[in-house]
Amino acid sequence: MDNPLTIVEVTGRLGIGGVESHVSRLAVGLIDRGHCVILVAQEGGVFGEQAQDAGAELLILPFRSQGLQRACEELASRDVDIVHAHNYRAARFGAPLAKGVRKPYVMTVHGPRPWYKRATFRAWSDTVLTVSEADRDSILGPLGVSADRTVVGFLGVDTDRFKPGLDASSLRAEWGVPDDCPVILNVTRFTHRKARPALALIDAMPWVRERSPGAVLVLVGEGDDLQRVRAAAERANDSAGDRMAIVAGPSTDIPVVMNAGDVIIATATTAIESSACATPTIAFGRTGYFGIITPENYEAARAVCFADHGHLPSSSRERLAGDICKVLQDKAAALSTAEGVRALIAERYSVERMVEQIEAVYRQVIERDAAIL
């Protein structure tokens, strides 16, 4: 390989979440390729620990002026090659950090942002990475950047870790779900618009149960709206006189969770992870409803980050319940489709390919900046 780099990855936090898992996988992948990685974050967490275990250095500090000064001091003696910030808040810290240590800078956009917030954003890098085509389209124009400054990437997944066949029987027992009950999973962060699918699923459960008796909805995750989701589930259970919606809360053993469901409703990273586990997956997220993921529509789903980016139609209760029942009533066909999706992911969207692409961007930016100097 080319000469190893010292790379600073800047992110807001390293707890549970899609951006957090992406940063951790990127860090581990870069280390596997012989690079030195320094993670700079406001908060640590499980993904920070995973990156540390692989050999990354971790610097936790506030994203304020005193934190910036400390970060510059910590990195001054290091032969840093590039600073990479993930999302807007981290970029507001990462851009002046790169300037302070006089090193090249790149940022990745990880989701949509209202135009009025983009209008005041001044931390764009000369080359901007996005994780979907819809994400790229959302930043083009006078309040963002030009198309020639963007590089569309993707969210890679570890198919050795996220795979079918993991024993989830103890998890189903923990949830109190009998073996013969179909399990509908929603794995997400219950915050703002990302909580909407959970509420829609709770509302759709009586319709699902008319065609798939005994089906149980299990909601896995955390977030600011968790109590709102829990209250909606309790009301639905009281109305049904049965425990048809279970709020399980957060979990760190996500590969096993993904193997516990007969169908998973997810968006962004979690939709990729469930698909990698060959579990039938329905993409439904903060920007609307996509539907059942298949090998034929996978690229279209990826282009909108599995209903996390772009503009999609909202879901009707009938369509959501219909897609769920379609999976539950012909499990053999649904599993065959899901296995085809997993094969596609393994071929095109591994962590290794993601890291290779981003490393290539780093080297291009570094070479361009060196030529300017």
Side-chain angles (χ1 to χ4, degrees):
M1 63 169 288
D2 294 328
N3 60 299
L5 304 174
T6 296
I7 303 155
V8 177
E9 302 287 347
V10 183
T11 188
R13 57 188 180 183
L14 288 162
I16 294 173
V19 176
E20 295 86 341
S21 64
H22 171 78
V23 172
S24 177
R25 288 170 186 164
L26 174 60
V28 173
L30 288 167
I31 291 167
D32 287 345
R33 291 176 64 82
H35 302 296
C36 174
V37 176
I38 304 169
L39 292 175
V40 178
Q42 292 190 99
E43 300 175 22
V46 62
F47 286 116
E49 294 167 4
Q50 288 181 9
Q52 275 187 300
D53 289 344
E57 299 178 46
L58 185 58
L59 182 59
I60 303 295
L61 40 73
F63 281 6
R64 296 191 293 272
S65 57
Q66 63 269 38
L68 179 61
Q69 181 179 351
R70 180 184 161 199
C72 289
E73 291 171 353
E74 291 275 355
L75 298 175
S77 61
R78 306 296 300 272
D79 190 16
V80 171
D81 290 289
I82 193 165
V83 176
H84 183 184
H86 295 267
N87 243 345
Y88 295 92
R89 183 175 298 177
R92 286 195 174 95
F93 187 86
L97 175 59
K99 185 176 181 180
V101 296
R102 298 182 179 181
K103 296 298 179 181
Y105 161 65
V106 65
M107 74 170 289
T108 294
V109 174
H110 286 271
R113 191 172 180 85
W115 68 267
Y116 55 87
K117 289 188 176 181
R118 290 201 310 277
T120 60
F121 184 71
R122 296 292 181 269
W124 298 111
S125 52
D126 288 337
T127 297
V128 180
L129 280 155
T130 71
V131 296
S132 73
E133 285 81 355
D135 224 2
R136 174 205 57 200
D137 295 346
S138 74
I139 64 172
L140 298 181
L143 300 181
V145 298
S146 57
D148 61 343
R149 289 172 56 187
T150 63
V151 175
V152 178
F154 59 91
L155 299 170
V157 63
D158 182 355
T159 51
D160 289 331
R161 180 166 179 253
F162 289 90
K163 60 186 178 182
L166 301 179
D167 183 7
S169 57
S170 61
L171 195 55
R172 287 176 65 112
E174 178 185 323
W175 294 335
V177 179
D179 291 341
D180 60 346
C181 287
V183 172
I184 303 156
L185 277 175
N186 180 218
V187 184
T188 190
R189 178 181 290 161
F190 302 114
T191 304
H192 308 305
R193 288 184 293 166
K194 285 196 173 185
R196 292 177 184 173
L199 298 172
L201 282 162
I202 292 169
D203 185 51
M205 278 305 294
W207 291 55
V208 171
R209 282 190 150 198
E210 287 181 4
R211 294 167 60 183
S212 296
V216 176
L217 170 65
V218 181
L219 302 154
V220 178
E222 60 183 358
D224 296 339
D225 286 336
L226 181 60
Q227 292 307 315
R228 179 186 174 199
V229 171
R230 194 183 303 278
E234 290 173 356
R235 288 193 300 271
N237 290 341
D238 288 343
S239 178
D242 192 12
R243 192 164 173 258
M244 66 176 182
I246 299 167
V247 180
S251 174
T252 57
D253 201 354
I254 298 300
V256 175
V257 170
M258 298 299 191
N259 275 267
D262 295 286
V263 58
I264 296 180
I265 290 80
T267 186
T269 302
T270 50
I272 306 168
E273 292 170 346
S274 62
S275 296
C277 290
T279 303
T281 300
I282 295 173
F284 184 12
R286 61 178 166 177
T287 59
Y289 188 81
F290 184 86
I292 300 170
I293 300 173
T294 70
E296 293 74 25
N297 68 20
Y298 188 85
E299 292 302 333
R302 188 194 56 75
V304 293
C305 203
F306 307 90
D308 197 54
H309 305 161
H311 301 282
L312 293 165
S314 59
S315 171
S316 67
R317 180 168 52 183
E318 295 83 353
R319 184 182 178 192
L320 176 59
D323 281 349
I324 292 170
C325 291
K326 180 180 179 180
V327 171
L328 296 181
Q329 290 175 350
D330 193 345
K331 291 185 180 180
L335 286 172
S336 177
T337 296
E339 288 164 1
V341 174
R342 172 180 163 79
L344 187 153
I345 291 172
E347 178 187 352
R348 302 181 192 174
Y349 298 112
S350 65
V351 171
E352 291 78 11
R353 288 195 65 192
M354 177 190 79
V355 174
E356 287 175 5
Q357 184 200 35
I358 295 174
E359 181 191 328
V361 171
Y362 291 163
R363 294 194 183 279
Q364 290 168 6
V365 170
I366 291 167
E367 289 173 8
R368 183 188 62 212
D369 278 33
I372 293 172
L373 294 175

